[in-house]
Amino acid sequence: MQRFADPTSCPECRLAITPGVPSCPACGLGLRGELAQRLFVTLQSADTLLDQLRAESRHALRVPAGGLRDLGLGGTGPAGAAELDSTPAGATVAPAAGTGAYPRPHDVGNSGEAGDTPRRRGLADVSVSRLLLGLGALCVLVAAVVFLVVTWSVLGVAGRTAVLAGLTGLTALVAAWLARADLRAAAESLSLVALGLLSLDVVGAQNAGWLGDPDVGTFLVLLGALLVVVGGAASLACRRTPLGHLTTGEVAAGLGTAGLVLGLTLLPDLDLAAALVAGTILSTAVVVAARRLRLSATRMIAVVVVAASWLGLLAVGVDRGTDRLDVAALWGRLEIWPLLAAAVLAAAPAVLTHLDERLRAASGAVALLVLTGALTLPVLDEGATTGALVASGTLALVAAGTWRLPGVWRGLGLLVQLVAGLVAAALTLSLAGVALDALLASASGWSGDLTDRLRIVAGADPPSAWLLPVLTLALLGTLASVGRLSRTLAPGSTPRLPGRSTLLVTAAALLAGAGTLSVVLTGPPVWSVVACATLVAVALLAWWLRDPSLTTAAWTGVFALGATLVSTHDDLLTALSLAATFLLAGVLHVRARVPEVSGVAGAVLAATLGLSVVTWAHVAGASTSWGVLLGLAGMAAALLALIWAPGRCWAHAEPALARAGWEVGALVAVVPLGLAGVLTAPTGESASWTALYLTLLGATTTALALLRTDRYRLLPVGGLLLAAASWVRLWDVGVRAPEAYTLPTAAVLAAVAVLHLHRHPAAGTRRTLSPALGLALVPSLLWALVEEPGLRALLLGLACLSLVVAGLVTRWSAPMAWGGAVGAVLVVYLAGPYVGNAVPRWVLIGAAGVTLIVLGVTWERRVQQARKVLGLVRALR
């Protein structure tokens, strides 16, 4: 009879296949991997259910009219059987002896109950071989370099030739043999070693004088060309082997391209710009060749080289153009030719009709941008006003010239428009920067007076202050124009713009900000700027009350925050500004119908409350440390009081989110307030104040976690804060040993982890026990590595040995991993001086590399043989 789980037929097309093949030769269905294994086990479940139904039918049990679908088993064929995702209770399904399965042979046997496929833990077979071979290749290359450095002066010419050629040829032959044996990881590793030795051969030949006396540029050109040829040839030759491709060779060819271009730029007799032009052309040729030869890694690296060389040419052209800004030098003596060459190279893809039209238009846009820059370079020294006029003229000309172009070519001048807009933005930012510098200078940390005036420090030839709102308005118009153009070019992919109200309030806020900064440029009193920003915030809040939108609320917060920052010039001004901000945030917090807006306003309220208490304490003459303590206590009291606040206090139906905003704001304000209190404390009292702050925070966090059931996860945080307070006190009284700080907390974490493992046997020990073991071992290890070997090293070693033994007894991986890793580091550190004095370092490195390579090759070979044997066994009938 026909079985659903048949290893000799494809589950999709039911044609005959060879057991163990990676995919069906007829329909191409993949037959390896976890999904294939699950499919095979599910089909075996279907066979088992079918056998049970046949047995029940023999006892005259009738099947319902709905057939298998009424029994909850889907359809009646293989497709319906494939929909099963678990085995019925009591039916144990596993691949029978001699039964082939669709996944790889090493995946078979990892499944228990049907539908319950446990994850493999530890490193996979291929990962082990790659790790061993990678480390081995690295060690062999390091050992070869050390050996050549040590023995190069001793060997003669014949010896040098034999060593270089022998090592390179041997590794190349072994790599070729491994490629024919279908050992990818080993072949890639040995190919890397062979190419590295080939590079060392060239370096050694240069040092021996066999290449004459080439300069650095010529040497890099020769080495790069050699790597391109050898790497490409090795990659093409590998296609005749079972591997199919050689990534190492492709990467070597790409790196050789980079070295070739770099060598061209270092040639003493070649102009840098000409070298970059040649490098761009050569690397482009490599990209084209790699694309035709299907060398993907080489092509990717060469594309990066093309971009780097073209950008270098562009940088050289800009540097030469900015050194000679007069028209006679730039165009009369053609000093501008590197920029023109960059424009020509960028425009080259635009004339190739077989390329994608979007790529051609993009290359034309880049070329037009470079050409426009070359034409406008002479106006750079004509002042800000002329620069603004040229930028405006460029925007108008490009917009008019590209308005009637068809399709994607309409965006030909988009880059020019963006750059010209950036010029206008730079002029705007220069004015805004002068105003912001004056405002930042006024924020002197309560060291000024309420009647002080702003000091304006402007550079040479600054634009007039009244130009700031004008330039802002021009930029807003440019942004609108570019947005309309982008919607024309790609109407289906452009994001939906915000509503008219949002755009209007944003434009109004930007213009109001520009007007405020233009007032700053006149040098008014500090309090007037704070008042101006506060009035703008109040106006925006009134707008928000009429049209409650997220944008209006955000701009209200921006202006309120700016007023608060400027007000730090004087403590009383800061207190008044914080009071205004507190009122604005309170209105937003209570009246907002969107819970997120209310939560953010609550965060501002909490932070403003703490800062206000500290500020008013400073105005009253109290020390900063006491003010910070009062501010933290005020925020803690507010957080705990909000627990009993009724939900009708807010205009929305999610008071939990509003309370969460207060918590976030308090968390953000705690760090700067605490640092201010500690740093300004009297000498010798910093630790005491730190412990006091941590105790208050820990008590507040613990109380919040106990009073609110949705914050029970904060209990460990509160405990950690209280433990940190204890650590600070221990340090303050003179305790310096790390174990006094780490072991108590590690013991608590270990007890909690063991309890968790007892309640959840399926939990992983590495994730559960690693925090406790890391806290217990790592600090002691770091301490032992910087002190003389003594009792701590002995006890730490015994602890590591005990953990390894305990892990073996309990079959827990975490104690074994942590104990073995820390113990290995400790043993290597203690044994290092003795081994280093007895054996040369390069011998140890080389021996380790050879050992790792042999182990990696052997591992991969054994895994391959095991898969073949398992496939033959499973194919037996």
Side-chain angles (χ1 to χ4, degrees):
M1 70 184 67
Q2 182 179 5
R3 309 289 291 179
F4 291 119
D6 187 3
T8 61
S9 63
C10 174
E12 173 73 16
C13 61
R14 310 303 297 177
L15 295 179
I17 61 173
T18 302
V21 296
S23 61
C24 176
C27 64
L29 181 67
L31 301 177
R32 285 187 177 180
E34 181 182 355
L35 288 178
Q37 179 184 359
R38 290 173 57 188
L39 173 62
F40 188 79
V41 173
T42 302
L43 294 180
Q44 285 185 320
S45 299
D47 290 333
T48 302
L49 293 174
L50 188 59
D51 292 340
Q52 292 176 359
L53 287 176
R54 289 196 184 99
E56 292 178 358
S57 299
R58 294 190 187 98
H59 291 82
L61 293 178
R62 300 182 61 185
V63 178
L68 293 178
R69 182 175 292 107
D70 292 338
L71 295 177
L73 301 179
T76 58
E83 294 178 358
L84 298 173
D85 57 358
S86 62
T87 303
T92 302
V93 181
T99 302
Y102 301 123
R104 293 188 297 269
H106 71 274
D107 289 334
V108 178
N110 293 328
S111 60
E113 298 294 327
D116 183 15
T117 305
R119 290 181 176 271
R120 293 175 55 89
R121 296 189 177 183
L123 292 174
D125 299 331
V126 178
S127 299
V128 173
S129 62
R130 289 177 179 174
L131 179 62
L132 294 173
L133 292 167
L135 291 176
L138 178 62
C139 292
V140 168
L141 285 176
V142 173
V145 172
V146 175
F147 173 76
L148 291 176
V149 170
V150 173
T151 62
W152 187 260
S153 60
V154 180
L155 297 175
V157 176
R160 298 173 186 175
T161 305
V163 170
L164 292 173
L167 288 176
T168 306
L170 178 62
T171 52
L173 290 176
V174 174
W177 175 77
L178 293 172
R180 293 183 178 277
D182 197 14
L183 301 177
R184 172 168 297 280
E188 295 281 2
S189 300
L190 267 296
S191 300
L192 175 63
V193 174
L195 291 170
L197 291 176
L198 179 62
S199 302
L200 292 177
D201 294 347
V202 179
V203 174
Q206 182 195 21
N207 292 333
W210 297 346
L211 301 179
D213 189 17
D215 55 84
V216 178
T218 304
F219 174 75
L220 287 178
V221 169
L222 293 176
L223 180 59
L226 181 63
L227 288 178
V228 170
V229 174
V230 174
S235 301
L236 295 177
C238 191
R239 293 181 179 175
R240 300 181 179 180
T241 66
L243 293 184
H245 69 280
L246 186 67
T247 305
T248 304
E250 297 180 9
V251 172
L255 295 179
T257 304
L260 177 61
V261 174
L262 179 60
L264 289 175
T265 61
L266 297 178
L267 291 176
D269 299 331
L270 187 61
D271 182 68
L272 180 59
L276 289 172
V277 171
T280 304
I281 296 175
L282 288 177
S283 53
T284 303
V286 173
V287 171
V288 175
R291 182 176 180 274
R292 293 184 177 181
L293 297 176
R294 303 191 307 277
L295 303 176
S296 58
T298 304
R299 183 178 62 179
M300 288 188 294
I301 298 175
V303 166
V304 175
V305 176
V306 170
S309 57
W310 185 84
L311 290 175
L313 176 62
L314 182 63
V316 170
V318 171
D319 181 66
R320 292 185 179 181
T322 52
D323 286 342
R324 304 172 180 85
L325 293 177
D326 57 297
V327 178
L330 289 176
W331 295 98
R333 295 191 298 271
L334 286 181
E335 296 289 343
I336 202 68
W337 79 264
L339 281 179
L340 299 179
V344 171
L345 291 175
V351 300
L352 302 177
T353 57
H354 65 280
L355 295 179
D356 185 78
E357 191 174 13
R358 290 173 295 181
L359 177 61
R360 296 171 57 201
S363 64
V366 174
L368 181 60
L369 175 63
V370 176
L371 183 60
T372 304
L375 294 174
T376 56
L377 273 179
V379 303
L380 292 180
D381 61 345
E382 297 297 330
T385 304
T386 305
L389 292 176
V390 170
S392 302
T394 302
L395 285 172
L397 289 175
V398 172
T402 59
W403 185 260
R404 295 185 177 277
L405 291 178
V408 296
W409 295 99
R410 192 175 299 172
L412 192 65
L414 183 59
L415 291 178
V416 178
Q417 287 181 310
L418 292 177
V419 173
L422 288 176
V423 172
L427 295 174
T428 305
L429 291 177
S430 65
L431 289 172
V434 174
L436 292 176
D437 286 339
L439 294 177
L440 292 176
S442 68
S444 54
W446 299 339
S447 63
D449 190 73
L450 190 62
T451 59
D452 291 340
R453 301 179 69 90
L454 293 172
R455 297 182 58 186
I456 307 301
V457 180
D461 190 22
S464 301
W466 61 269
L467 283 176
L468 186 55
V470 175
L471 288 173
T472 304
L473 183 61
L475 283 174
L476 292 174
T478 302
L479 288 176
S481 175
V482 172
R484 182 180 180 184
L485 177 61
S486 62
R487 293 196 304 272
T488 303
L489 293 178
S493 61
T494 53
R496 184 178 180 181
L497 292 178
R500 180 179 179 182
S501 177
T502 300
L503 295 176
L504 184 61
V505 71
T506 301
L510 291 175
L511 288 175
T516 304
L517 293 179
S518 65
V519 172
V520 171
L521 292 174
T522 62
V526 178
W527 66 265
S528 64
V529 178
V530 176
C532 183
T534 304
L535 289 177
V536 174
V538 171
L540 289 172
L541 180 63
W543 193 337
W544 177 82
L545 291 175
R546 292 186 55 190
D547 183 17
S549 66
L550 179 60
T551 306
T552 311
W555 281 114
T556 303
V558 168
F559 279 93
L561 178 61
T564 303
L565 293 177
V566 177
S567 69
T568 56
H569 181 76
D570 178 70
D571 54 355
L572 180 58
L573 186 61
T574 303
L576 295 175
S577 178
L578 286 173
T581 302
F582 189 83
L583 293 176
L584 293 172
V587 174
L588 288 171
H589 182 61
V590 175
R591 296 288 300 275
R593 297 186 179 276
V594 179
E596 290 77 11
V597 175
S598 178
V600 174
V604 176
L605 276 175
T608 306
L609 175 62
L611 294 173
S612 296
V613 173
V614 175
T615 306
W616 284 112
H618 187 271
V619 172
S623 65
T624 304
S625 299
W626 278 106
V628 169
L629 181 62
L630 293 176
L632 295 179
M635 289 190 298
L639 286 178
L640 297 178
L642 280 176
I643 298 176
W644 293 281
R648 62 177 180 273
C649 294
W650 295 278
H652 56 85
E654 297 185 21
L657 189 56
R659 296 188 182 99
W662 277 80
E663 297 169 6
V664 172
L667 179 62
V668 172
V670 157
V671 177
L673 287 179
L675 288 176
V678 171
L679 295 177
T680 57
T683 305
E685 298 181 8
S686 299
S688 300
W689 283 106
T690 303
L692 184 59
Y693 295 155
L694 290 175
T695 302
L696 177 61
L697 295 177
T700 304
T701 305
T702 305
L704 185 64
L706 293 176
L707 293 176
R708 290 183 57 181
T709 56
D710 58 338
R711 292 292 184 264
Y712 73 95
R713 295 181 182 273
L714 293 177
L715 277 175
V717 179
L720 181 60
L721 290 173
L722 294 175
S726 301
W727 293 348
V728 172
R729 289 298 300 160
L730 287 173
W731 184 270
D732 192 28
V733 299
V735 178
R736 296 296 185 266
E739 290 78 10
Y741 303 86
T742 58
L743 290 183
T745 306
V748 174
L749 292 176
V752 174
V754 171
L755 180 62
H756 179 76
L757 291 174
H758 178 71
R759 293 180 177 179
H760 304 85
T765 59
R766 294 185 181 180
R767 177 177 298 180
T768 307
L769 288 173
S770 289
L773 295 177
L775 183 61
L777 296 177
V778 173
S780 298
L781 174 64
L782 297 177
W783 206 274
L785 294 179
V786 297
E787 67 178 5
E788 294 294 331
L791 181 61
R792 178 176 279 106
L794 176 61
L795 294 178
L796 182 60
L798 292 176
C800 293
L801 180 60
S802 301
L803 285 175
V804 173
V805 174
L808 290 174
V809 173
T810 59
R811 296 184 180 181
W812 287 357
S813 61
M816 294 178 61
W818 280 98
V822 175
V825 173
L826 185 62
V827 169
V828 170
Y829 170 73
L830 295 176
Y834 304 100
V835 176
N837 295 331
V839 183
R841 299 299 176 91
W842 68 270
V843 174
L844 291 176
I845 298 174
V850 172
T851 303
L852 290 172
I853 288 177
V854 172
L855 289 176
V857 173
T858 304
W859 184 286
E860 188 175 9
R861 189 66 176 177
R862 293 295 181 267
V863 169
Q864 188 184 63
Q865 293 175 353
R867 291 176 180 175
K868 290 182 179 179
V869 172
L870 187 57
L872 293 175
V873 172
R874 294 173 57 210
L876 297 176
R877 302 295 291 176

